[in-house]
Amino acid sequence: MIPIVRVTNLTKSFSRGSEKIQVLDNLVLEVPKGQFLALMGPSGSGKTTLLNLIAGLDSPTSGSIVVGDQEIGAMSESQLARWRTRHVGFIFQFYHLLPVLTAYENVELPLLLLPLSASERKRQVLTALDLVGLSDRMSHRPGQLSGGQQQRVGIARAMVTDPDLIVADEPTGDLDSKSAEEILNLLVELKRSLEKTIIMVTHDPKAALYAERVLHLEKGRLVQEVFNPPSPRLAGSIA
Amino acid sequence: MHPTFIMLAFTALLLVVVAVVVPRLGWIGKLLARYNARNIMVRWPITLMLLAAFTLQVGIVVVMLSFVRGLQNLTAGSSVPGNVLVLSEGSTDELFSNLGYRDVSDVERHPLVMRDSDDPDGKPLASWEVYVVVNQPLPLPIIHGRRLGCRFGEESLKLTLVEAGGPLARAGVKPGDSLSSWAGIPLNSLEDIRLLMAGKQAGVIDIGYVRNGAQLSGSLNLDNLINLERSRRFLQVRGIDDPARSLKVHNLKLVTGELFCQAGVRAYGEGDQRRTAVEAVLGEGIARTLGSDINKTSLEPGDMFSLGDSAQPFIVAGVMGSSGSTFDSEIWSKHSLVGRKFGKDSYSTIVLRAAGPIEAEELAKDLTNNFKKAALKAQTETEYYSSLNQTNQQFLYAILFVAVVVGIGGVLGLMNTMFAAISQRIKDIGVLRILGYSGPQVMLAFLFEALLLAVLGGLLGCAAGAIGDGCTANSIISSGAGGGKSVVLRMTVDTPILLAGMATALTMGLLGGLLPAINATFIRPLEALR
Amino acid sequence: MFWEQLDGSLLPLVRTPGATLQVTIYEFLIAFVVLGGLAIIPQSLFYLGFILRNLWRNKIRTALTGFATIVLVLVVTLVWTVLVFLANVTSEKANNLKAIVTERWQIPSQMPYSYAARLTEGAPREPGDVRIDPANDAMTWAFFGGTLDPQNRTRENSLFFFVMEPDRFLTMMDGIDEMSPTDVERIRAAIAVMEKDVTQVMVGHDKLVAMGKKVGESMKISGLNYQGIDMECTICCELPEGRYGQAAVMPRERLNRALDEYERKNRKAHPLAAKCLNLVWLRVPDTKAFQQVERQITTSAEFKSPAVKIETASSGVAGFLDAYKDMLWGLQWILVPFILATMSLIIAMAISISVRERRKEIAVLKVLGFRPGQILILVLGEALMVGGICGIIGSAGTIAYFNLYLGGFKFPIAFFPAFLIPNEALWWGPAIGLGTALIGSLTPSLSACNIRVSEVFSRIS
């Protein structure tokens, strides 16, 4: 399979005062297209940093990150911003919807940065909302939606530009187990039907079971790699 | 450069900026605009306060400008483009000008002066004038030659006016109080005071008065009741030889009554009481002012009034339609009568009508340079009255100062609000940035929010300021170098002033919004979401 | 140049009451007592620290609000300076009052100089009449406007002389007590020079700068109101900035000689020769004396053509200011209230925002056992602290900047050269600041007291 993400010798360090903290240490990783990958590890292991780097939210100290056919490690901030709009969709733990905008408008936000006509935009927003099953709630404000519903709006927003890659940082971290299950099933469904590549950071082993491949990080290194059987529902029932 | 023009140019510039920026935002603009507009509504208490502050500030600017515009209109409305105003050389104002009879009659024969087409002899269109300012004591009740320093209202013992520092004021009486007793004796009418004052004329007495139903008392020093001239006004009197021609030269018309006759006096009274009064034509403004002294809205033809120390009373012959010009505050009478009465037998001014503005300039130049019999200072009326705008210039500077300082207050208030709005929505900004919105796009969104508030505040402020439109106020105009005319001006709010108000609001919005908006671009998305 | 100045120039010469400093001391006493009272409130230091820390936490907001207060206090202080000054000069004084004698009916007032001798005595006729000491308690004024360049007259090259008895400058003019002792000594020396040599003149600092002249230099002045009279003058003294910054003084004798010379040369009297006395100042001990002098002058047969009038300086000014009545009313009742309301709103906004942002903290304080009143003190205290401190800075800064640096507030109402901000303005700032802060922060701080703990925490979870 063609890797959509190829990370080579990736190092990221922060300096806090005189102290230098090595968050990622010479990491190597390939993610094939259409894979649902979960990143796990204790806090401080560098999993979120890795996710942010792949998503182009942060720049590496050294090493290269190629997403699709582009080296994003060397891009400037504004190049990254433009690249993100087209190629990456984000799902956040706390949804981060703009409270004053309706579900529809929140989903529309990333599309506005693309050269689309109004009718194309409308079609895509409706498709995305349909996909997450919220067509009947599109004129609600985030405050009028439950946590699970808000996260589904978040997923629709991540999907709406039809990105190659979807990154999710603890997407179920703020949800009850029932809503969490629904969201994870939705992600699996997206992966399966639309062949999206999904990289998800989670600390919840149950959530990780939905992914096909789980990577464990510790102190900035990959320490373990697990391939799950391809039946999330089964995995769910086992748990 | 004219201040209005500067304001206009500024508004245009702002409009261009807006016109350039908004289309560039395009679709993003629409949604972000909705985003910002809704946030403004979410924090409505603060929005309301901000709008109120903007309204007040823009309102002040509009009101002050309308005052100046009133003055400008007045000077513009007084000049006739074809007219030339001739003074003696070196005089900065009509008051100091001195022209002899011969100078005046020579000057009017200049070939460039137009002839009166209605006149059989084709007399030149020239107005011979003497301008004097008379110091007029305000007519407060004088009882037995002594002034109480007050004015009584319709309810006979209720005071509508108490002269500040006057004898009654010193006794503690205020306007609105009613006098109730005099040296212990209850009062029923004004006539009682008259009688009581005839009895005791010196020393200190107790007086009683009623304020809001409460009985109060004070001591009145009768020694203070002498004929102090504390309140007075300056009346502007213009002695005219031929009122019909003068009106024609100044493009004025009578609204009621008639002109004063050749002799300038009119008989009144019957039999032994038959006397003569000096006829006068009044500007509408001064007719109203003098009318208020006798509880009328305006003096009408046939009404009498006194002027200065003239033993002879004055009688209103007619009223000129003079609103919007400096003549509104003037009293016109026969030159030969008022000149002598007020100590200036000569002429101060001659106003000549030329065929048009160009001829007027030519005439003025020729008179100033080539008239040999007397040294003259001739200028077009347009020029003369625009020199009177000096006062306006000074007012404008003062207004500019106040507007800037008060504007700084508004800018700072807006900055506070916008900084808070941004720090409250730091997560929103983080999300927008992660979704790929650029720093400048976010900045424009927040700048738009500030400008939206400014536009709303500006509109409200203009509306509030426009309430002052049409109010009348007294003021003085002068050329700064001396002279001056007291005038009644009508505050005027017109389009340039409203634009200036909006420009003030937008400037405040721009200045107050820019710094916080720029600040918003420095927000780092990842940190914002943490 | 002159009819405005004729009456207008009286204004800068009328003394502001000396009571101002006393007022300031009282105000400071009050402030002291208030601060003392603050110390008695239990844990006031704790509150103070808490308030200061909260203000420090949002430095930008505190700075912006404070700056707004300072700036608006500045405007109000300037407007009130004008209003208070005018109220002072137009309020009648009981003792040591000054009276002005002018022509009765006409403006400008022009009297023959022959009136001067009798008017300066107060025109006593009978035994028992009040006699004024003409050498000490009277002064005559004429106005002489001139320019350095009659062909191209500008504001800069024109100047305006008080033609008067030089020695009266220090005894009869006002505002002398505002000058420094060295200035007074300089002027005293110059007066001695002028009394010996009438060609010597004194010119105000600002005027000298505008004309580009220096002390010791000579200049040729062409008369503007006295057409055809040119004078060669030597500048012997510079009058300090402030009231007399734009003025000039020449000896009376100089004008008299110039008029005589004109008559000799032209074989006819100058048109203004019989009108060269513009006004006479008299100082009378009290109202009674004033009334007596008034009776003497108005009933005298000596002053009939033209007739004269006598009025107290304050009533003269009040009459003149009548034309500005509406504008002053507008300043007092529209501008100032608008500005005060704006200040309240700005403070209200700042406090509202703070309260909104700190809902959670306030809820925590309540959980910890703080009572609503204590929270009120905390929130109100912030507003009062900013308002009070910035008010003091605002008014003290205004006084310092305008009085010391600019030499007074140069406001174009009428013809005043400059307004000195009175010392009592020192308490206007804090009063305005505290007052507007109190009004502005009342609602937001009450809403802070009424924050419901349960609501706040339910929203967080």
Side-chain angles (χ1 to χ4, degrees):
Chain A
M1 249 191 273
I2 327 139
I4 186 153
V5 177
R6 202 165 54 220
V7 172
T8 12
N9 301 337
L10 182 65
T11 302
K12 177 73 181 174
S13 53
F14 298 100
S15 45
R16 188 169 291 157
S18 58
E19 202 187 349
K20 202 170 167 204
I21 303 165
Q22 187 94 347
V23 185
L24 293 176
D25 187 6
N26 246 341
L27 200 112
V28 178
L29 170 70
E30 281 192 2
V31 183
K33 190 169 161 41
Q35 190 172 59
F36 186 173
L37 170 74
L39 293 173
M40 292 192 74
S43 53
S45 60
K47 55 187 194 304
T48 299
T49 308
L50 177 59
L51 189 78
N52 287 343
L53 284 167
I54 293 173
L57 289 173
D58 210 345
S59 305
T61 310
S62 69
S64 103
I65 307 164
V66 177
V67 179
D69 48 6
Q70 275 168 304
E71 168 62 56
I72 63 163
M75 284 189 190
S76 74
E77 209 173 308
S78 63
Q79 283 173 316
L80 277 175
R82 235 168 294 146
W83 175 79
R84 281 200 303 267
T85 315
R86 287 172 183 276
H87 300 283
V88 189
F90 293 85
I91 303 168
F92 304 94
Q93 179 181 1
F94 298 109
Y95 336 126
H96 290 319
L97 303 175
L98 303 199
V100 295
L101 297 183
T102 63
Y104 181 96
E105 286 165 342
N106 265 297
V107 176
E108 194 185 6
L109 264 181
L111 287 183
L112 294 168
L113 294 165
L114 299 175
L116 295 174
S117 73
S119 58
E120 280 174 308
R121 274 207 311 277
K122 188 171 181 190
R123 193 172 49 76
Q124 273 181 250
V125 174
L126 291 178
T127 313
L129 282 169
D130 195 36
L131 216 61
V132 299
L134 275 181
S135 303
D136 53 338
R137 294 291 167 90
M138 61 187 183
S139 53
H140 286 54
R141 302 259 178 105
Q144 299 161 316
L145 298 172
S146 72
Q149 286 169 327
Q150 287 190 50
Q151 191 58 299
R152 283 201 253 167
V153 177
I155 293 172
R157 183 174 65 184
M159 295 290 311
V160 74
T161 53
D162 193 21
D164 315 323
L165 177 65
I166 291 175
V167 296
D169 191 357
E170 303 271 13
T172 57
D174 204 41
L175 295 172
D176 59 84
S177 58
K178 188 168 172 295
S179 308
E181 202 174 308
E182 280 170 22
I183 292 297
L184 288 166
N185 280 325
L186 183 58
L187 287 179
V188 170
E189 193 54 42
L190 288 177
K191 178 228 165 246
R192 191 177 291 161
S193 57
L194 299 173
E195 297 198 332
K196 294 288 169 204
T197 314
I198 302 175
I199 305 179
M200 172 177 79
V201 163
T202 183
H203 65 269
D204 178 4
K206 276 188 275 178
L209 285 176
Y210 286 75
E212 319 162 51
R213 180 184 173 200
V214 182
L215 288 174
H216 283 266
L217 271 85
E218 233 164 80
K219 292 179 183 160
R221 291 163 192 269
L222 287 174
V223 290
Q224 194 190 2
E225 184 170 4
V226 179
F227 287 90
N228 284 331
S231 172
R233 274 175 228 280
L234 182 65
S237 62
I238 291 169
Chain B
M1 221 180 342
H2 196 273
T4 316
F5 178 74
I6 298 172
M7 291 290 193
L8 274 173
F10 195 72
T11 316
L13 190 75
L14 278 171
L15 286 176
V16 169
V17 169
V18 171
V20 169
V21 166
V22 169
R24 277 175 60 99
L25 285 172
W27 290 107
I28 305 167
K30 269 198 189 164
L31 186 61
L32 284 193
R34 235 178 299 158
Y35 165 74
N36 293 107
R38 280 185 206 155
N39 272 304
I40 287 176
M41 284 187 283
V42 165
R43 52 166 207 271
W44 62 268
I46 290 163
T47 301
L48 278 186
M49 284 188 253
L50 191 68
L51 286 183
F54 263 68
T55 307
L56 288 175
Q57 290 171 325
V58 174
I60 294 176
V61 171
V62 169
V63 166
M64 290 193 299
L65 285 176
S66 72
F67 186 86
V68 169
R69 178 50 49 88
L71 286 174
Q72 285 170 341
N73 286 349
L74 211 57
T75 48
S78 307
S79 63
V80 177
N83 278 5
V84 172
L85 186 124
V86 183
L87 304 174
S88 61
E89 202 214 332
S91 351
T92 47
D93 191 75
E94 291 187 89
L95 266 180
F96 314 112
S97 173
N98 226 319
L99 297 167
Y101 175 83
R102 273 221 244 122
D103 308 334
V104 189
S105 49
D106 280 351
V107 164
E108 77 163 12
R109 283 200 289 272
H110 194 282
L112 280 171
V113 177
M114 281 177 71
R115 303 276 152 176
D116 188 351
S117 53
D118 301 334
D119 188 88
D121 307 331
K123 277 189 191 159
L125 269 177
S127 174
W128 303 14
E129 302 167 0
V130 65
Y131 175 74
V132 288
V133 174
V134 175
N135 173 14
Q136 176 87 342
L138 281 185
L140 294 174
I142 296 175
I143 303 175
H144 291 289
R146 289 162 173 256
R147 287 172 63 254
L148 268 174
C150 67
R151 193 181 294 155
F152 293 93
E154 309 260 338
E155 299 165 59
S156 62
L157 288 168
K158 186 161 180 157
L159 300 160
T160 55
L161 190 151
V162 176
E163 197 179 343
L168 274 177
R170 282 190 228 176
V173 182
K174 290 185 177 159
D177 298 349
S178 295
L179 291 187
S180 59
S181 70
W182 189 273
I185 300 157
L187 293 171
N188 292 318
S189 68
L190 200 56
E191 196 49 37
D192 292 349
I193 302 181
R194 239 178 261 282
L195 291 169
L196 288 164
M197 278 181 78
K200 183 175 167 63
Q201 299 198 356
V204 179
I205 58 155
D206 289 332
I207 54 162
Y209 53 95
V210 180
R211 179 179 302 161
N212 300 329
Q215 184 69 47
L216 302 167
S217 66
S219 44
L220 178 72
N221 188 346
L222 292 177
D223 294 335
N224 289 340
L225 300 191
I226 59 159
N227 212 349
L228 286 173
E229 279 167 359
R230 192 167 288 111
S231 292
R232 56 182 176 166
R233 61 168 74 98
F234 299 107
L235 294 181
Q236 298 164 94
V237 179
R238 199 174 284 276
I240 303 282
D241 270 325
D242 181 344
R245 260 206 293 166
S246 291
L247 281 180
K248 203 175 268 180
V249 169
H250 289 295
N251 274 356
L252 294 170
K253 289 207 165 57
L254 283 185
V255 282
T256 52
E258 53 194 26
L259 297 172
F260 46 84
C261 62
Q262 193 59 40
V265 290
R266 180 186 291 186
Y268 68 98
E270 296 293 325
D272 288 352
Q273 301 293 309
R274 206 168 163 76
R275 305 263 189 284
T276 58
V278 181
E279 289 183 302
V281 170
L282 273 55
E284 284 171 306
I286 194 69
R288 272 197 302 275
T289 310
L290 293 178
S292 72
D293 292 345
I294 56 165
N295 286 328
K296 284 176 87 167
T297 50
S298 172
L299 287 189
E300 288 156 32
D303 285 337
M304 315 257 281
F305 62 96
S306 65
L307 197 56
D309 64 344
S310 166
Q312 204 175 16
F314 280 67
I315 188 162
V316 181
V319 176
M320 304 184 268
S322 54
S323 69
S325 78
T326 57
F327 304 110
D328 206 31
S329 313
E330 290 188 357
I331 297 167
W332 287 15
S333 255
K334 188 73 185 172
H335 171 263
S336 53
L337 297 174
V338 292
R340 199 173 319 127
K341 273 186 198 297
F342 302 112
K344 196 162 182 177
D345 278 337
S346 59
Y347 294 88
S348 55
T349 323
I350 175 166
V351 180
L352 308 166
R353 169 67 64 82
I358 299 154
E359 289 83 353
E361 254 171 63
E362 210 174 309
L363 174 58
K365 211 176 284 170
D366 191 50
L367 285 175
T368 307
N369 297 333
N370 304 328
F371 192 76
K372 290 283 173 262
K373 286 175 194 154
L376 298 181
K377 176 182 176 183
Q379 51 191 330
T380 61
E381 268 196 345
T382 322
E383 203 182 325
Y384 172 73
Y385 282 103
S386 68
S387 79
L388 288 183
N389 270 329
Q390 194 94 38
T391 330
N392 306 347
Q393 223 56 45
Q394 293 178 326
F395 282 148
L396 275 179
Y397 291 135
I399 289 170
L400 203 65
F401 172 74
V402 171
V404 166
V405 173
V406 170
I408 291 174
V411 166
L412 298 176
L414 179 63
M415 267 192 202
N416 257 345
T417 315
M418 291 310 296
F419 271 124
I422 285 164
S423 73
Q424 231 165 26
R425 281 186 273 157
I426 197 157
K427 287 211 159 63
D428 291 9
I429 296 169
V431 172
L432 287 172
R433 293 300 301 277
I434 285 177
L435 292 179
Y437 283 83
S438 69
Q441 279 170 334
V442 170
M443 183 190 95
L444 282 175
F446 280 89
L447 196 56
F448 169 81
E449 188 167 321
L451 286 176
L452 188 65
L453 283 167
V455 168
L456 283 175
L459 288 173
L460 289 171
C462 283
I467 295 171
D469 187 44
C471 290
T472 53
N474 293 304
S475 183
I476 271 195
I477 51 173
S478 90
S479 59
K485 297 180 194 298
S486 355
V487 291
V488 180
L489 64 95
R490 184 174 291 274
M491 287 166 58
T492 311
V493 179
D494 54 13
T495 321
I497 288 180
L498 292 178
L499 287 179
M502 286 310 289
T504 312
L506 284 172
T507 313
M508 280 159 65
L510 202 61
L511 293 178
L514 202 57
L515 212 57
I518 290 173
N519 190 47
T521 65
F522 294 121
I523 288 172
R524 305 200 65 85
L526 280 179
E527 285 160 30
L529 291 186
R530 210 165 274 161
Chain C
M1 215 157 271
F2 307 104
W3 80 274
E4 286 185 341
Q5 268 143 340
L6 184 79
D7 283 58
S9 51
L10 314 186
L11 295 173
L13 306 165
V14 183
R15 186 166 296 165
T16 42
T20 51
L21 198 66
Q22 244 175 335
V23 176
T24 322
I25 291 165
Y26 279 129
E27 294 305 321
F28 272 114
L29 278 177
I30 292 169
F32 202 74
V33 170
V34 170
L35 286 177
L38 202 68
I40 299 169
I41 299 179
Q43 301 110 21
S44 66
L45 271 182
F46 162 79
Y47 285 116
L48 205 64
F50 206 100
I51 289 168
L52 283 178
R53 243 169 296 155
N54 273 334
L55 287 175
W56 186 246
R57 192 161 64 173
N58 203 323
K59 288 184 273 297
I60 292 181
R61 183 173 311 140
T62 308
L64 291 176
T65 314
F67 188 47
T69 307
I70 291 173
V71 157
L72 294 176
V73 162
L74 174 111
V75 181
V76 176
T77 303
L78 293 181
V79 172
W80 277 358
T81 295
V82 174
L83 294 175
V84 165
F85 180 85
L86 297 182
N88 269 336
V89 297
T90 53
S91 73
E92 206 65 64
K93 287 152 202 77
N95 292 311
N96 220 0
L97 48 95
K98 286 190 181 171
I100 321 160
V101 187
T102 47
E103 190 181 337
R104 189 168 185 81
W105 299 114
Q106 248 213 273
I107 293 163
S109 154
Q110 293 173 322
M111 300 175 285
Y113 190 63
S114 57
Y115 279 17
R118 289 284 293 146
L119 280 179
T120 50
E121 291 186 320
R125 288 189 303 274
E126 290 158 23
D129 278 0
V130 172
R131 186 179 180 278
I132 287 165
D133 174 8
N136 284 315
D137 293 328
M139 123 176 109
T140 68
W141 269 8
F143 304 111
F144 185 93
T147 174
L148 296 176
D149 183 359
Q151 254 62 55
N152 181 24
R153 192 166 65 83
T154 61
R155 202 179 262 272
E156 283 70 34
N157 67 25
S158 307
L159 77 171
F160 172 79
F161 285 97
F162 292 99
V163 181
M164 57 183 286
E165 298 76 16
D167 60 324
R168 308 301 147 76
F169 189 86
L170 288 177
T171 58
M172 284 293 285
M173 303 283 260
D174 258 331
I176 303 300
D177 44 359
E178 286 165 12
M179 293 181 185
S180 69
T182 48
D183 281 335
V184 173
E185 279 319 305
R186 239 169 4 89
I187 293 168
R188 200 183 303 283
I191 289 171
V193 173
M194 288 165 81
E195 282 177 333
K196 284 199 200 83
D197 175 4
V198 296
T199 64
Q200 304 281 331
V201 296
M202 301 194 281
V203 182
H205 169 84
D206 303 0
K207 195 76 244 174
L208 279 182
V209 171
M211 294 193 306
K213 291 278 178 190
K214 286 195 185 66
V215 172
E217 290 180 359
S218 293
M219 54 185 181
K220 192 180 176 214
I221 303 288
S222 305
L224 287 171
N225 52 342
Y226 289 84
Q227 282 285 316
I229 292 190
D230 296 348
M231 292 184 184
E232 192 75 37
C233 305
T234 309
I235 304 162
C236 70
C237 180
E238 176 189 297
L239 297 171
E241 273 182 285
R243 285 191 186 193
Y244 302 105
Q246 291 284 350
V249 175
M250 97 165 56
R252 174 74 226 188
E253 191 52 28
R254 182 72 199 276
L255 179 63
N256 289 354
R257 287 187 198 172
L259 286 167
D260 291 347
E261 196 185 331
Y262 181 96
E263 190 169 348
R264 269 200 309 280
K265 247 193 214 157
N266 297 283
R267 297 217 184 76
K268 69 170 186 197
H270 189 275
L272 289 180
K275 298 176 168 182
C276 62
L277 175 64
N278 294 112
L279 69 159
V280 174
W281 285 87
L282 303 173
R283 179 160 42 216
V284 288
D286 51 32
T287 320
K288 223 176 167 66
F290 169 76
Q291 288 166 1
Q292 177 59 31
V293 171
E294 182 194 34
R295 228 163 286 156
Q296 288 163 206
I297 287 179
T298 45
T299 56
S300 168
E302 299 160 87
F303 316 113
K304 280 301 169 213
S305 177
V308 299
K309 67 172 187 296
I310 174 168
E311 59 195 338
T312 58
S314 43
S315 80
V317 174
F320 184 78
L321 280 177
D322 207 45
Y324 290 91
K325 194 180 59 192
D326 288 348
M327 208 174 67
L328 296 174
W329 183 90
L331 286 181
Q332 184 165 10
W333 297 113
I334 299 178
L335 185 67
V336 169
F338 268 45
I339 291 178
L340 293 182
T342 311
M343 279 177 72
S344 299
L345 282 168
I346 289 173
I347 292 189
M349 279 190 279
I351 299 295
S352 298
I353 293 168
S354 293
V355 169
R356 238 176 102 109
E357 280 178 358
R358 291 211 295 261
R359 281 174 63 87
K360 200 163 46 163
E361 282 168 45
I362 293 168
V364 170
L365 287 180
K366 282 198 160 180
V367 170
L368 291 178
F370 274 72
R371 288 187 303 277
Q374 292 167 314
I375 287 168
L376 186 77
I377 292 177
L378 283 178
V379 179
L380 219 53
E382 266 183 58
L384 293 178
M385 185 87 76
V386 174
I389 291 176
C390 293
I392 293 178
I393 296 175
S395 49
T398 309
I399 293 175
Y401 182 67
F402 279 89
N403 286 8
L404 303 179
Y405 182 72
L406 292 181
F409 169 43
K410 283 152 188 160
F411 180 66
I413 184 170
F415 22 68
F416 300 100
F419 291 90
L420 281 185
I421 321 263
N423 287 333
E424 66 193 82
L426 211 53
W427 64 263
W428 296 348
I432 297 166
L434 289 174
T436 51
L438 189 67
I439 294 170
S441 62
L442 214 53
T443 335
S445 51
L446 281 176
S447 83
C449 298
N450 295 332
I451 284 177
R452 296 173 82 94
V453 177
S454 54
E455 257 175 46
V456 175
F457 285 119
S458 73
R459 197 179 285 184
I460 289 164
S461 57

